[in-house]
Each structure stands twice: as structure tokens, then as C-alpha cells.
Amino acid sequence: MRHRYEIGQLEVTVKQWVAFLNTADPEGRNRLGLYDETESSSAWPRYGQINFSRSADMGSHYSVAFPEWADKPYGFADFLRAARFVNSLYNGRLISKRSSSNGRFNYVTYQVRLSARTERGMYDLAQPNTTRAHRSGFVLPSQDEWIKAAYYDPRGGGTYSYWKYPTNPGVFGDGDATAPNPTVLNPATGDVTNAATQPLASYHASGKPAPSWCPGQLQPEDCSTVNPLGLDPSTYAEVYQGSLSTVGGARTTSPWGTLDQGGNAVEWTDTITAPPSGRSSLRVWRRLHGGISNAPAFQMWPSAVGLQPQDNVFYNHTYPWLGIRIGVIGDLKPGKS
């Protein structure tokens, strides 16, 4: 069934997630498991995005670890965290809605005052297999919505109107020969330094180092050795190679004007899927798309579909590349919750 929808140009940033944390958990009690110590700069210097202070004022317990993290994608999301963020948007107050254009792309900018109500809204989290409860509001994109925004060319480019990468048409069947160029990051800030080399994406190209950075306020040895998993330096360097770059820094748009759907952080959809075994499971599994900065080019292909339990707590502890992109369905009106 066809329907109109909008999808976020950018991934949800650390700054936006911190605003949500302080709204949903103003007392800093973490009753919903929205934060883990491994997300802190002390526990994980290289990937720690958010710090927690028990003694902070009401509504200020969570903070961006370093200024350089503010505009990076939030990277420790599971589906339940993402759905609670969406519910906060859905239950919040839409302050303004502004239309604009850039070249051939049209954009809508929403300003929302977040709500502390996170358990019901677009998704009823009392139901493990929750789906969209309303025909209008903020959502997590479905698998089909995500794929269309990333790959479908309405002008007929690519192969049968589909691109191989969210950044450029590529050539199906040529391996990674027509893959986008990999980003190069400022080693202290994570900003993209080669944006003039288009098309571009944050991924681990064959034979080249993965895009990498660590906050300049830290000691290099902390970034290369300290980790919450207890890995020795050589194993740590092998397993954790890629870093998240500043959202939109690659500047390469999909056919619909989105940024970073290829590489950087893999993103949740709200599409429910069978587990890898194909058998029934007590856990609910959801689809993910997009590849990550630590993965090769094929992870950005349309066929590279991921799936994970929606409540994978292990990934919350060990996988700093799980992101969120917001969608909109229906016609939202300012001034209404």
C-alpha cells in the first residue's frame, strides 16, 4: 500500500539524545535503562559520548561528554530506546514546522518540545511486538521507507531506478569498484576533512584505514587501550577501528536528499522480522540498514539487511554504531501534541 511519508535528513545526534535523556529521566534514576556506564568518556574514552553526574541538578544529570560529540550520531541505541525517543516526540508539543528547499530537494524542519511520556504514543511498549498505533506523527522508518529514501531514484537513474549505494548509482555486480570514497576525519574532532572528494561515505574501504578520531582532550594511550570489554590493545585495535563522523559531514545526498544513510551508523527500522533461524522466538527481532564506519562497502548495498533483537542489551554494551533516524507520517500541525 502506497503512502506519503517523510524521513530525517540526518541521524539523531548525541546532543538531541542528551536532551531526551534529561527530559525522560530528570531525576537521573535510569529506570528505563536509557543509559549505560559504557557510554561514558571514562569507561570508554574513544567511544564514550555521554557522561552522567548523580549530583547534578534536576534535569541535568546527563551531558555531552565533549563538545566534539554533540553533532555525532547517537550510537548506543536499541529499538526500545529508539521507540521511546519517538514517543517523546509524538507526545511532545510541535512548536513550529518550516518548509525550505535546497537545489532539487524540499525539506521540512520540525521544532518539538519533548515529553517525558515515553511508554505509549506512536508505539505501545507494553506490547513487545508493538507496531504503529496512529496514522499521523513521528515514527521510526519502516524497512521499505528506509530503502526507498536511500536507493530509489525517481528520475530513473541507477539500475531499474535503484542505486547501489545511498551516495551514488554505482554498478551492480562490480564488487566495490564504484563505491563512494571513504571519509577522512580530523583525528581530534571527527569532522570530515575531504568533503570535496565526492561521492563520500564513512565506511572501511578495502586497503585503507577506517575513518577514525578520538576527542583531543584525551590522552592517545587512553583512546587506544582503555575499553569496557577488557580487550588487550592489539585485539582492541583490530576489532574497533571505525569512528562516527559529524552528521552530514560527507555532504553526499541520496536520491531524496538524505545524508549518511550509507556508512557512519547503522539505523533501526520498526519492521518486525523472523529471527535468523526462521523459527519462532520469544524475542522480537527488527530490521536495520545502512552499514557502519567499521564495515566494508557491501554493507551499504540494498541487499545488506541487518536484523537484531529489539532489546539486545549486549549490543548496548559493546556496539557503538547503532543509530536512529526519525520519520514522519501524516500532516503534523504546530501547536498540537
Side-chain angles (χ1 to χ4, degrees), residues 44-89:
W44 208 346
R46 183 174 174 186
Y47 293 106
Q49 303 177 325
I50 299 168
N51 288 334
F52 173 79
S53 173
R54 193 172 301 279
S55 61
D57 292 338
M58 183 84 163
S60 301
H61 291 282
Y62 302 94
S63 61
V64 178
F66 295 107
E68 293 80 5
W69 276 115
D71 292 327
K72 304 299 185 294
Y74 174 62
F76 291 88
D78 61 18
F79 173 82
L80 299 181
R81 289 182 176 183
R84 287 184 165 105
F85 183 84
V86 168
N87 283 347
S88 178
L89 287 168

Side-chain angles (χ1 to χ4, degrees), residues 7-328:
I7 192 168
Q9 182 190 28
L10 302 169
E11 293 153 329
V12 172
T13 65
V14 174
K15 181 179 179 180
Q16 291 168 332
W17 184 257
V18 166
F20 164 66
L21 286 177
N22 284 320
T23 300
D25 184 27
E27 296 177 343
R29 296 185 179 182
N30 200 26
R31 291 172 175 169
L32 298 174
L34 296 172
Y35 177 77
D36 191 277
E37 185 182 354
T38 58
E39 299 176 52
S40 72
S41 60
S42 58
W44 208 346
R46 183 174 174 186
Y47 293 106
Q49 303 177 325
I50 299 168
N51 288 334
F52 173 79
S53 173
R54 193 172 301 279
S55 61
D57 292 338
M58 183 84 163
S60 301
H61 291 282
Y62 302 94
S63 61
V64 178
F66 295 107
E68 293 80 5
W69 276 115
D71 292 327
K72 304 299 185 294
Y74 174 62
F76 291 88
D78 61 18
F79 173 82
L80 299 181
R81 289 182 176 183
R84 287 184 165 105
F85 183 84
V86 168
N87 283 347
S88 178
L89 287 168
Y90 179 87
N91 293 321
R93 183 175 180 82
L94 179 56
I95 298 171
S96 66
K97 176 182 178 180
R98 178 174 56 86
S99 297
S100 62
S101 61
N102 185 0
R104 62 187 178 89
F105 301 120
N106 297 319
Y107 298 97
V108 179
T109 301
Y110 296 92
Q111 183 181 6
V112 181
R113 180 176 292 115
L114 295 171
S115 169
R117 292 180 290 151
T118 63
E119 301 311 285
R120 286 181 176 82
M122 182 55 70
Y123 303 101
D124 181 356
L125 296 178
Q127 306 296 324
N129 60 344
T130 181
T131 57
R132 297 175 184 179
H134 304 277
R135 294 183 179 180
S136 179
F138 295 98
V139 297
L140 292 172
S142 70
Q143 174 174 268
D144 288 345
E145 291 167 347
W146 198 101
I147 288 174
K148 181 176 182 179
Y151 302 107
Y152 176 70
D153 188 344
R155 300 185 298 173
T159 302
Y160 301 113
S161 296
Y162 277 86
W163 288 9
K164 183 177 180 178
Y165 302 97
T167 53
N168 58 294
V171 176
F172 287 93
D174 74 345
D176 60 1
T178 52
N181 297 302
T183 57
V184 176
L185 306 184
N186 181 306
T189 69
D191 292 336
V192 176
T193 62
N194 63 330
T197 310
Q198 295 289 313
L200 199 63
S202 286
Y203 73 102
H204 193 179
S206 178
K208 298 182 179 180
S212 179
W213 73 283
C214 193
Q217 298 90 335
L218 299 171
Q219 296 298 318
E221 57 268 25
D222 290 337
C223 294
S224 60
T225 62
V226 179
N227 66 88
L229 311 176
L231 299 176
D232 63 83
S234 60
T235 303
Y236 182 47
E238 180 180 355
V239 175
Y240 289 92
Q241 297 185 39
S243 299
L244 295 169
S245 59
T246 301
V247 295
R251 300 183 188 174
T252 309
T253 59
S254 75
W256 292 91
T258 65
L259 295 162
D260 302 328
Q261 282 195 270
N264 220 20
V266 68
E267 300 169 12
W268 286 97
T269 75
D270 67 3
T271 297
I272 296 174
T273 185
S277 66
R279 302 174 182 174
S280 61
S281 172
L282 295 178
R283 304 179 78 178
V284 179
W285 292 65
R286 307 269 178 174
R287 291 289 189 182
L288 303 93
H289 282 274
I292 63 171
S293 53
N294 194 25
F298 72 82
Q299 291 282 0
M300 296 187 289
W301 297 353
S303 57
V305 182
L307 66 164
Q308 284 293 329
Q310 65 179 14
D311 56 349
N312 195 337
V313 176
F314 176 75
Y315 261 41
N316 290 354
H317 296 297
T318 64
Y319 201 86
W321 305 292
L322 281 168
I324 306 168
R325 189 179 298 263
I326 300 299
V328 173

